[in-house]
Amino acid sequence: MAGTSGLGIPTASTATVELSIRVTIENYSMKAFLEALAPGDADWALAGALDPARLPEHIAIIMDGNGRWAKRRSLPRVAGHKAGIGPVRSTVENCARLGIKVLTLYAFSVENWKRPRAEVETLWRLLRFYLRRELPELMKNDIRLEAIGRLDELPTPVRNELQAAVEATSLNRGLLVNLAINYGGRAELVDAVNAILETAQRDGTISALRLDEQMISQNLYTSRTPDPDLLIRTSGEMRISNFLLWQIAYSELYITDTLWPDFGRSDLLKAILDFQKRDRRFGGLNPATPSSAGEAGEPQLIEALGVS
């Protein structure tokens, strides 16, 4: 709440100060991002069109199209997965430079175990390779790594290296990168409900238990992060694929025909620009929408419709 200092000088409210600090940081991040690009470059123009005050706080990505990318080049599917490592690195770097708070990447679903064993094992090798190669960069750029999913079912070497990377970056305070590994939206909801039931049974409150949205949200893998503002899916497929089913209730969806190995900085910037054109109402009306005229005519409209 605004007030006055001991000298009678007006002071800004805490919220106003925090907003001012955030805008300053966002403008600084955008300035630094632009300075890393060459004037006249297509990405420079795209980045310059962004509103730094309206960047999505949390971006989630369904990284799809590795297999098709390889097939179009008459290569084995694993070649597509290997080619997909580069876009992961560039997307993480660009989100960090832009000042995005959270990036969640769909790396391996609970359904992916159905793929050929050789392909699954290659995916685990690629994940371990990524973790080893990128850990120094994550530390250098103050990026924190976390993983969500049924991690206890991962092969032991993979689980150990993943946990080591999570622990090594745990004190970093920049971009949070969530790797969704052995993840499924339905599985997450089942795990959340089971966690609630187990707690109630342990506390002796099972007979009085009543589930609500807040209770479920607090027991999701993502309970400590905001829901995604923007969900990007590559490869042009029009489906969610069991990804963050609870969390994306009001996320803006952006589908691009670009296959994941071809996804670059331009694609990311275009997705964010498209997001900034959306009118996010969360089921209500935009505060700027005039309503007085409509309300004044509502009795006549109701009468004309024959509704009493």
Side-chain angles (χ1 to χ4, degrees):
M1 184 173 193
T4 58
S5 67
L7 299 176
I9 301 173
T11 59
S13 67
T14 302
T16 301
V17 172
E18 289 176 350
L19 177 60
S20 176
I21 292 172
R22 181 179 176 185
V23 170
T24 300
I25 292 172
E26 288 166 342
N27 287 335
Y28 176 81
S29 298
M30 184 59 66
K31 183 174 182 292
F33 186 83
L34 286 168
E35 287 176 348
L37 302 175
D41 185 279
D43 289 352
W44 190 88
L46 287 170
L50 292 177
D51 179 355
R54 297 183 61 238
L55 292 172
E57 186 174 2
H58 182 174
I59 297 176
I61 304 180
I62 301 174
M63 305 180 293
D64 191 26
N66 291 347
R68 271 165 286 175
W69 183 93
K71 184 177 181 181
R72 290 177 185 179
R73 291 161 176 77
S74 300
L75 297 171
R77 286 178 57 84
V78 294
H81 296 312
K82 185 176 181 180
I85 293 178
V88 170
R89 182 179 198 181
S90 65
T91 301
V92 168
E93 289 179 350
N94 287 311
C95 283
R97 289 172 180 167
L98 282 167
I100 304 300
K101 306 295 185 193
V102 185
L103 173 66
T104 299
L105 301 174
Y106 203 4
F108 189 91
S109 76
V110 292
E111 292 84 11
N112 287 156
W113 292 103
K114 301 173 186 176
R115 294 185 178 185
R117 181 177 177 180
E119 181 178 347
V120 172
E121 290 179 349
T122 298
L123 288 170
W124 296 139
R125 285 197 295 270
L126 288 172
L127 174 60
R128 295 174 69 187
F129 169 76
Y130 171 82
L131 293 172
R132 293 172 194 157
R133 189 184 74 171
E134 296 303 315
L135 183 56
E137 288 298 312
L138 296 177
M139 299 302 296
K140 177 183 174 182
N141 294 300
D142 199 30
I143 295 170
R144 182 159 52 101
L145 182 70
E146 288 193 1
I148 58 174
R150 290 180 169 173
L151 307 179
D152 58 324
E153 298 175 1
L154 298 180
T156 301
V158 176
R159 188 171 66 249
N160 290 343
E161 288 202 41
L162 182 60
Q163 184 58 35
V166 168
E167 291 176 359
T169 63
S170 62
L171 298 180
N172 293 345
R173 290 296 175 261
L175 170 70
L176 167 61
V177 177
N178 275 327
L179 292 181
I181 303 175
N182 196 30
Y183 173 87
R186 290 179 175 179
E188 179 179 23
L189 289 170
V190 169
D191 289 349
V193 172
N194 281 332
I196 294 169
L197 292 174
E198 288 169 7
T199 300
Q201 191 167 26
R202 184 173 61 247
D203 295 344
T205 59
I206 190 74
S207 60
L209 177 64
R210 294 293 181 272
L211 292 177
D212 57 35
E213 291 187 14
Q214 183 179 8
M215 196 179 296
I216 293 174
S217 293
Q218 290 174 342
N219 283 274
L220 296 174
Y221 306 148
T222 58
S223 61
R224 293 177 293 176
T225 60
D227 290 341
D229 302 293
L230 171 62
L231 172 64
I232 300 171
R233 177 166 190 142
T234 60
S235 85
E237 297 292 344
M238 299 291 183
R239 57 177 179 268
I240 302 303
S241 295
N242 197 19
F243 186 46
L244 300 176
L245 298 179
W246 180 278
Q247 298 90 331
I248 63 170
Y250 284 102
S251 300
E252 299 297 327
L253 308 185
Y254 180 85
I255 312 296
T256 174
D257 290 331
T258 301
L259 303 178
W260 178 248
D262 295 325
F263 189 88
R265 183 170 55 202
S266 296
D267 300 289
L268 176 65
L269 294 174
K270 288 175 183 176
I272 296 174
L273 275 171
D274 187 82
F275 166 82
Q276 292 190 340
K277 295 175 183 175
R278 310 283 181 92
D279 181 14
R280 306 191 74 202
R281 298 187 298 274
F282 301 96
L285 294 177
N286 190 314
T289 304
S291 59
S292 58
E295 290 173 355
E298 281 180 5
Q300 292 84 350
L301 177 59
I302 292 173
E303 183 178 350
L305 292 173
V307 179
S308 57

